[in-house]
């Protein structure tokens, strides 16, 4: 699986998913300070194989590349979720969760 976390914050979910389930995890975050925290969290993963599967991108979630996503997580405002929902419905395969 590939998890795409839209609005990933400090990357906790990305790291937990990669460690627990062995998936690839890609996070998109607009706040540079949170991206720095996420990058530090990723660098602190002791297992290099897990660390290689996790990345964070400084970018608006509305512009995220969803082409490889099989699982999407988002914890945004109600408005943010509403804005992204049509795009998610268009771009994600039916099997995506």
């Amino acid at each position: 699986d590939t998890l795409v976390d839209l609005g990933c914050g400090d990357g906790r979910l990305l790291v937990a998913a990669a460690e627990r389930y062995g998936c690839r995890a890609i996070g998109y975050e607009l706040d540079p300070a949170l991206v720095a925290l996420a990058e530090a969290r990723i660098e602190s993963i002791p297992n290099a194989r897990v660390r290689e599967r996790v990345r964070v991108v400084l970018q608006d979630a509305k512009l995220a590349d969803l082409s490889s996503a099989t699982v999407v997580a988002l914890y945004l405002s109600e408005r943010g979720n509403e804005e992204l929902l049509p795009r998610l419905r268009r771009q994600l395969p039916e099997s995506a969760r």
Side-chain angles (χ1 to χ4, degrees), residues 24-64:
R24 287 186 39 214
I26 306 164
Y28 291 87
E29 177 57 54
L30 196 54
D31 183 335
L34 289 174
V35 169
L37 287 173
E39 289 173 340
R41 184 179 299 277
I42 293 164
E43 287 302 313
S44 73
I45 299 170
N47 184 325
R49 294 175 117 176
V50 174
R51 195 170 48 245
E52 291 170 357
R53 290 194 298 261
V54 183
R55 70 183 175 101
V56 64
V57 179
L58 175 63
Q59 184 175 317
D60 190 331
K62 295 175 198 162
L63 304 173

Side-chain angles (χ1 to χ4, degrees), residues 3-92:
L3 166 70
V4 174
D5 187 359
L6 303 174
C8 69
D10 66 5
R12 289 173 198 236
L13 180 63
L14 301 173
V15 172
E19 288 179 334
R20 186 170 207 180
Y21 301 108
C23 66
R24 287 186 39 214
I26 306 164
Y28 291 87
E29 177 57 54
L30 196 54
D31 183 335
L34 289 174
V35 169
L37 287 173
E39 289 173 340
R41 184 179 299 277
I42 293 164
E43 287 302 313
S44 73
I45 299 170
N47 184 325
R49 294 175 117 176
V50 174
R51 195 170 48 245
E52 291 170 357
R53 290 194 298 261
V54 183
R55 70 183 175 101
V56 64
V57 179
L58 175 63
Q59 184 175 317
D60 190 331
K62 295 175 198 162
L63 304 173
D65 177 7
L66 302 173
S67 61
S68 65
T70 57
V71 178
V72 176
L74 55 150
Y75 189 74
L76 305 172
S77 67
E78 186 175 343
R79 180 177 172 212
N81 289 344
E82 288 172 357
E83 289 176 3
L84 283 172
L85 192 56
R87 183 166 182 258
L88 294 172
R89 286 186 174 138
R90 278 192 318 270
Q91 294 187 357
L92 292 173

